[in-house]
Amino acid sequence: MARESWASKLGFMLAAMGSAVGLGNIWRFSYVAGENGGGAFLILYLISVLVIGIPLLLVEVSIGRKAQSDVVGSYEKLAPGKPWYLAGFFGIGASLLILGFYSVVAGWSFYYFWNYLNGFFFNEPQEGYGPAFESFTTTLTQPLIWHGLFMVVTILIVLSGVKKGIELANKIFMPLLAILLIILAGFSLSLDGAAEGMRFLFQPDWSVLSDPTVYISALGQAFFSLSLGVGAMMTYGSYLSSSHKLPGATFGIGIMDTLFAIISGVVIFPAVFAFSIEPDSGPVLVFITLPSIFNQMPFGGYVGILFFLSLSLAAISSSVSLLEVPVSYLMRAASWTRRKAAMVSGLIIFILGIGASLGMGVLAGVTPIGENNIMDSMDYIASNIFLPLGGMTMALFVGWHFTKRTALEAADLSGTGLGSVWYGLVRYIAPILIVIIFLQALGLF
Ligand code: PHE
């Protein structure tokens, strides 16, 4: 059977944007920016996106398009008999790990959407939003049911195929998401006291730069948000033909993703400051802080419906790209049908997620890394270690395994001045910066 492909370049762009824009832009960006002091973090994040992220996005998509294969197959095809393909397995592992906790948080988002839609959360629950969130996430079965439901939706889209599943879903979700977020941002900006939130987000407080963890957090956030380093973008690139040019498309995807992160910041921080809440309340910012804010706002319940609908849509369009990584591998390497590959991989992810979910409750005492519970540890390992390492391997592959000519051809940059700049970034600057940031996070630099 012929390999699947996108129906159009626009379809690819929307799917890739859908992959990039997700819980990472709304939930993760807002709490990581909040914890790292706002404006100065934003600047480090923007530098990471421009100097490392977008060039590596072009690297990743161009490998996939050239090889026309999944993460493992792409390396095998372009470097037969060499150990590069191991990086592909590493990518599959990382995508399972990420989707394992991602789908749990997405399940919470479904639950919140459902409760707003029903009007249950229109008024603060008797015990308060904080304890309500806690009692929901610490029970055994409730969060697992929503996590399972989210995985079912993800599996259904992926098993419907590249065109009829992934591309179609993104064509509907992405424009809707953009409209919803812009409405929410307008609402947030109209609140009294919004200016302070904007100052927090846009006026850098340079003193946070003396904290060594800010740099790795900014880099990890850039990788996570751009879906880089696990092979999701490589797999999406493999469904493109060489008639579609890459540099403009990848630049557009990177810029849109960044815009979505900034717009989410504009939705969240003005509201946080308008209601005098601390911006560094961590991963619960979106699930406890925002509902309390909505509760005090005019029409807040409706804002809650829109917000959690946006969050759920954004999560689905990203999770399908994560599931597609093992699915496209299994379809080729094990000759499985799409249906079987999607169901088996989805089941494995569901099981991984059980650990992350129970880590909020009965397994709360299990802290694999420092004081981080299971979910935060999965996130930390995946985002701050696996993704940058995966991305660095891709950069080294294109920068050192390919000749300069092959690299530029694969990226549609032959004969352009920009080509040499990109090549220099990929061959030297990005790998060196990633190594420095790593050493620095380990306290060695
Ligand atoms: N970029 C997605 C987000 O921001 C998450 C993701 C990471 C998706 C890695 C695919 C690969 O939510």
Side-chain angles (χ1 to χ4, degrees):
M1 209 175 76
R3 247 181 134 251
E4 292 165 277
S5 62
W6 305 108
S8 64
K9 184 176 176 187
L10 179 70
F12 160 73
M13 289 209 43
L14 288 175
M17 278 177 206
S19 168
V21 177
L23 293 175
N25 301 61
I26 307 174
W27 166 74
R28 201 174 186 283
F29 173 79
S30 56
Y31 87 77
V32 176
E35 281 178 347
N36 287 290
F41 171 86
L42 180 64
I43 290 181
L44 287 182
Y45 164 72
L46 291 178
I47 295 174
S48 306
V49 167
L50 282 175
V51 177
I52 304 180
I54 294 182
L56 291 200
L57 184 59
L58 181 53
V59 163
E60 190 169 335
V61 176
S62 68
I63 297 176
R65 190 192 57 174
K66 183 171 168 60
Q68 297 282 302
S69 190
D70 54 86
V71 242
V72 176
S74 290
Y75 284 116
E76 279 173 352
K77 216 162 169 179
L78 302 175
K82 301 255 171 67
W84 288 101
Y85 69 94
L86 294 172
F89 285 111
F90 191 73
I92 294 181
S95 63
L96 298 177
L97 191 66
I98 295 180
L99 194 47
F101 72 83
Y102 201 87
S103 53
V104 174
V105 179
W108 300 347
S109 177
F110 269 26
Y111 170 81
Y112 270 64
F113 174 56
W114 175 248
N115 276 295
Y116 270 104
L117 204 59
N118 270 319
F120 294 149
F121 277 179
F122 270 47
N123 294 311
E124 180 146 11
Q126 240 168 19
E127 65 275 31
Y129 286 108
F133 173 76
E134 239 156 65
S135 69
F136 163 64
T137 49
T138 52
T139 51
L140 275 184
T141 50
Q142 275 258 9
L144 287 180
I145 293 173
W146 292 96
H147 158 57
L149 188 71
F150 177 81
M151 281 313 298
V152 169
V153 175
T154 303
I155 292 170
L156 284 177
I157 295 176
V158 169
L159 63 75
S160 306
V162 172
K163 276 195 202 87
K164 289 199 183 123
I166 301 176
E167 186 167 345
L168 182 66
N170 277 295
K171 275 187 175 153
I172 304 168
F173 290 1
M174 287 311 291
L176 191 60
L177 178 64
I179 295 170
L180 292 176
L181 277 181
I182 290 171
I183 297 177
L184 287 170
F187 213 94
S188 211
L189 285 175
S190 71
L191 295 169
D192 283 342
E196 205 184 328
M198 296 298 278
R199 235 174 281 131
F200 176 77
L201 187 57
F202 293 112
Q203 213 172 62
D205 162 12
W206 299 114
S207 67
V208 300
L209 297 186
S210 60
D211 175 357
T213 62
V214 177
Y215 301 88
I216 188 99
S217 303
L219 183 73
Q221 177 59 25
F223 271 85
F224 189 90
S225 192
L226 290 168
S227 305
L228 278 180
V230 300
M233 290 298 190
M234 196 185 286
T235 308
Y236 274 13
S238 77
Y239 302 132
L240 270 176
S241 76
S242 51
S243 61
H244 297 126
K245 298 288 166 254
L246 301 184
T250 45
F251 189 72
I253 295 162
I255 295 297
M256 282 305 283
D257 181 61
T258 310
L259 269 181
F260 269 97
I262 294 176
I263 296 176
S264 323
V266 171
V267 172
I268 290 167
F269 291 112
V272 165
F273 280 86
F275 292 96
S276 315
I277 287 166
E278 289 303 319
D280 61 353
S281 46
V284 298
L285 186 67
V286 154
F287 293 99
I288 299 178
T289 312
L290 283 186
S292 338
I293 294 172
F294 296 156
N295 186 41
Q296 301 169 51
M297 273 162 68
F299 307 109
Y302 297 98
V303 177
I305 298 182
L306 286 186
F307 181 82
F308 286 102
L309 176 62
S310 309
L311 196 63
S312 303
L313 293 179
I316 298 170
S317 62
S318 299
S319 65
V320 293
S321 73
L322 283 160
L323 185 59
E324 185 63 17
V325 175
V327 165
S328 92
Y329 166 73
L330 288 168
M331 286 171 65
R332 177 192 57 87
S335 304
W336 284 6
T337 58
R338 180 167 270 284
R339 170 182 288 265
K340 179 170 171 193
M343 297 212 293
V344 172
S345 317
L347 187 68
I348 295 174
I349 290 161
F350 176 72
I351 294 168
L352 277 175
I354 295 179
S357 185
L358 296 185
M360 305 296 294
V362 284
L363 299 182
V366 182
T367 50
I369 298 187
E371 305 206 323
N372 294 310
N373 64 19
I374 300 182
M375 176 179 290
D376 295 347
S377 301
M378 284 164 85
D379 183 5
Y380 190 89
I381 299 175
S383 311
N384 294 356
I385 301 175
F386 281 20
L387 300 189
L389 277 185
M392 189 168 85
T393 312
M394 292 171 194
L396 294 175
F397 187 69
V398 167
W400 296 86
H401 172 76
F402 282 1
T403 60
K404 181 170 182 187
R405 191 159 148 220
T406 314
L408 293 184
E409 256 169 32
D412 299 325
L413 280 172
S414 305
T416 60
L418 200 63
S420 294
V421 175
W422 172 76
Y423 188 68
L425 284 174
V426 170
R427 188 170 154 100
Y428 303 107
I429 313 272
I432 292 173
L433 281 177
I434 294 173
V435 169
I436 292 179
I437 293 174
F438 262 132
L439 292 180
Q440 186 252 9
L442 292 172
L444 299 173
F445 190 78

